[in-house]
Amino acid sequence: MDYKKTENKEQLKEKIRLLMSDYTNMLVDLADSDTHKSAILYYWLKDYKIMINREGSFNPKYLKEYSRGDIISVNLGFKPGSEQGGLHYGIVIEDNPKTSDTVTIIPLRSLKPKDNNGKEVHWSELFLGNELYEKAERKLRDGIASCNKKLTILHLEDERVSKQFKSISDVLSLIDSKNYVKEVVNPLKDNMLFLKEETDKIINSIAEIEQQIKMMQTWRDKFSKMENGSVALIKQITTISKIRIINPIKDTDALSGLRISVKYLNSIDNKLKEFYIYK
């Protein structure tokens, strides 16, 4: 029976219910025998649901433009066997237009002790040194420092506005409102309203910058795993939907502008030729 045909939709619904019941039983049983795998599959099913719901309204033109060599964080999903899955960094290997729904990447992994400082990585992989870690560390460290400077300025501005607000409030408390409402009290109240709006804007800006700092610190911690070096998984080159991209989405995002050098891009090109171009 072809469940893609409209006339079979009721049978399809029943099959879906049975399949979901099987999935539930499998995940619950797996949680006892392999909690890690069960959790990973759960996370993926939840993320996949979000992606499906986004699919109808998703428009790649609202994302930043990606260039060859850019580093992006993507959700590769739950993959069988030795395929790379889950949250991964990847190298964009094409100059990708904003109108494109997809982007081609090479997944990355961190260097492991068994790799012997990059000397014994698998023949299908390419050691990239610790350039990526150094660039990410510098970019995110400088970004956090810049945000902290902005926070200092905003806190001083908030203190200044708060003092003005309190000063006016103190004056109002001393004024006989019956005699000075029109000439004094109303203008002062208008000024207090303006200062309150300014305070709200400052508080919102502080909250946004604090969130930026938190996110950059999170990415900084993640990149620390690559301190000893990173490895490009050349043979796992793949084309993915841009719905899978986690960061950067905008030019202002934490990973925006982070890319590997031409030196390593050329090494990747040469490695790809070894695999895919007939000699």
Side-chain angles (χ1 to χ4, degrees), residues 88-101:
H88 258 275
Y89 297 112
I91 304 172
V92 176
I93 62 167
E94 58 181 339
D95 286 330
N96 186 275
K98 295 187 73 171
T99 53
S100 174
D101 293 323

Side-chain angles (χ1 to χ4, degrees), residues 124-181:
S124 64
E125 302 174 337
L126 181 67
F127 180 52
L128 302 177
N130 64 350
E131 175 189 85
L132 179 55
Y133 165 76
E134 290 177 348
K135 286 187 174 182
E137 169 65 17
R138 183 164 56 249
K139 174 179 171 55
L140 295 171
R141 182 193 63 221
D142 292 348
I144 291 172
S146 175
C147 284
N148 280 323
K149 287 181 180 179
K150 291 178 183 178
L151 274 182
T152 299
I153 294 172
L154 284 171
H155 281 302
L156 290 172
E157 182 67 8
D158 184 45
E159 184 179 346
R160 182 187 66 79
V161 172
S162 295
K163 286 181 178 179
Q164 288 185 3
F165 187 90
K166 185 178 184 306
S167 176
I168 294 173
S169 179
D170 291 343
V171 170
L172 283 175
S173 67
L174 298 174
I175 292 177
D176 181 357
S177 58
K178 292 182 180 179
N179 299 326
Y180 300 102
V181 169

